[in-house]
């Protein structure tokens, strides 16, 4: 399946789909490791806290003309994309970075955009640096008479319906993984909450979701624009012309 990479501005619901899918991407996820020296045991490595993720998208093509490999809906004006990305970067806007068909779904800041022309076609090639964003939160303190709960319910395959209040940083994929042991059920979970979730990639802290029993999950409904586009797009190789051809069902 062809991957669709997009940026979603959650405050407005605006989704910017990259006109050409980059040949590769890499998301860096890690944990800080602290090394301590013990007199008797020697060197010891201990976890020191999560590091924020980051990604550099290289050779992102913003075309000045519509090639056969462009994603459907692409615009043949590179600066439509560049100006929107620069606006988000300049405003320090937090946007959600999405890769269709994968659990890659993270709030990011656009740290830097480098772009220019190469071959006289007026196409723009860009490098986009992304840094993960996490909203600072006040620490949870122990209450007198007992300790505060620090971990969420980790049971999977819910046997009966329950509810869950969305927390900052949550995704439907993560919630589905938590309760059903399979993040891919997030579209069915979205359908179960279709009255408040119009886009499976867009949920807000404070929303109360219904968590149906595992055997009561409805069939998945329509996804986001990028997910729907990826599902309808197929690539086929033509050995005669030596080119890839894109076909989109329903277009």
């Amino acid at each position: 399946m062809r991957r669709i990479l997009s940026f979603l501005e959650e405050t407005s619901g605006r989704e910017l789909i990259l006109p050409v899918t980059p040949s590769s991407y890499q998301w860096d996820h890690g944990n800080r490791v602290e090394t301590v020296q013990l007199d008797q045991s020697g060197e010891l490595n201990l976890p020191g806290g999560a590091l924020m993720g980051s990604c550099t998208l290289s050779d992102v093509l913003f075309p000045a003309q519509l090639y056969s490999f462009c994603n459907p809906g692409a615009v043949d004006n590179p600066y439509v994309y560049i100006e929107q990305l620069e606006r988000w970067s300049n405003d320090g806007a937090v946007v959600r970075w999405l890769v269709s068909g994968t659990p890659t779904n993270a709030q990011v800041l656009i740290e830097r955009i480098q772009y220019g022309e190469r071959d006289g076609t007026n196409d723009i090639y860009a490098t986009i640096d992304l840094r993960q964003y996490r909203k600072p939160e006040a620490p949870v303190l122990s209450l007198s008479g007992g300790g505060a709960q620090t971990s969420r319910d980790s049971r999977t395959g819910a046997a009966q319906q329950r509810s869950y209040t969305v927390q900052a940083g949550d995704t439907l994929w993560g919630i589905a993984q938590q309760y059903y042991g399979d993040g891919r059920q997030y579209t069915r979970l979205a359908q179960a909450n279709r009255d408040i979730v119009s886009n499976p990639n867009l949920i807000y802290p404070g929303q109360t979701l219904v968590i149906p029993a595992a055997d009561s999950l409805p069939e998945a409904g329509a996804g986001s624009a990028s997910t729907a586009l990826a599902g309808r797009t197929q690539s086929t190789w033509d050995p005669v012309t030596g080119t890839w051809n894109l076909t989109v069902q329903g277009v």
Side-chain angles (χ1 to χ4, degrees), residues 14-224:
R14 176 181 175 83
E15 188 174 26
L16 182 69
I17 299 174
L18 294 185
V20 177
T21 301
S23 59
S24 64
Y25 74 91
Q26 179 174 302
W27 177 253
D28 292 333
H29 173 85
N31 185 73
R32 181 177 290 105
V33 176
E34 303 288 350
T35 301
V36 297
Q37 295 287 341
L38 301 180
D39 291 341
Q40 302 299 322
S41 303
E43 189 174 88
L44 184 65
N45 292 322
L46 300 173
L51 297 172
M52 289 288 91
S54 63
C55 177
T56 297
L57 298 175
S58 302
D59 289 330
V60 179
L61 174 60
F62 297 112
Q65 53 187 310
L66 296 181
Y67 299 105
S68 60
F69 51 79
C70 289
N71 290 322
V75 177
D76 57 352
N77 182 348
Y79 291 98
V80 169
Y81 301 95
I82 294 295
E83 289 175 2
Q84 179 61 68
L85 292 169
E86 286 185 332
R87 187 177 302 115
W88 282 334
S89 180
N90 293 341
D91 293 344
V94 178
V95 296
R96 192 167 290 279
W97 178 53
L98 306 160
V99 181
S100 68
T102 77
T104 302
N105 181 330
Q107 287 186 312
V108 298
L109 297 168
I110 300 175
E111 181 179 33
R112 184 175 60 173
I113 308 168
Q114 293 179 301
Y115 60 88
E117 298 182 12
R118 295 181 182 175
D119 45 22
T121 61
N122 296 328
D123 295 338
I124 295 293
Y125 292 86
T127 298
I128 305 172
D129 293 325
L130 308 176
R131 292 290 189 95
Q132 187 177 8
Y133 170 83
R134 179 182 297 166
K135 183 178 180 180
E137 296 183 4
V140 177
L141 302 179
S142 298
L143 303 177
S144 60
Q149 182 177 348
T150 58
S151 62
R152 300 180 188 167
D153 185 352
S154 60
R155 289 174 290 176
T156 60
Q160 61 183 4
Q161 180 170 301
R162 66 190 73 183
S163 62
Y164 175 76
T165 301
V166 177
Q167 308 295 314
D170 276 342
T171 64
L172 275 185
W173 181 287
I175 296 172
Q177 180 68 37
Q178 173 179 324
Y179 284 101
Y180 303 108
D182 184 358
R184 293 171 297 180
Q185 302 298 329
Y186 80 102
T187 53
R188 300 176 67 186
L189 182 58
Q191 183 67 5
N193 292 274
R194 58 188 177 276
D195 292 342
I196 60 173
V197 178
S198 58
N199 183 337
N201 294 318
L202 187 61
I203 56 176
Y204 299 96
Q207 288 179 318
T208 300
L209 304 179
V210 173
I211 309 296
D215 57 2
S216 299
L217 277 171
E219 291 302 316
S224 67

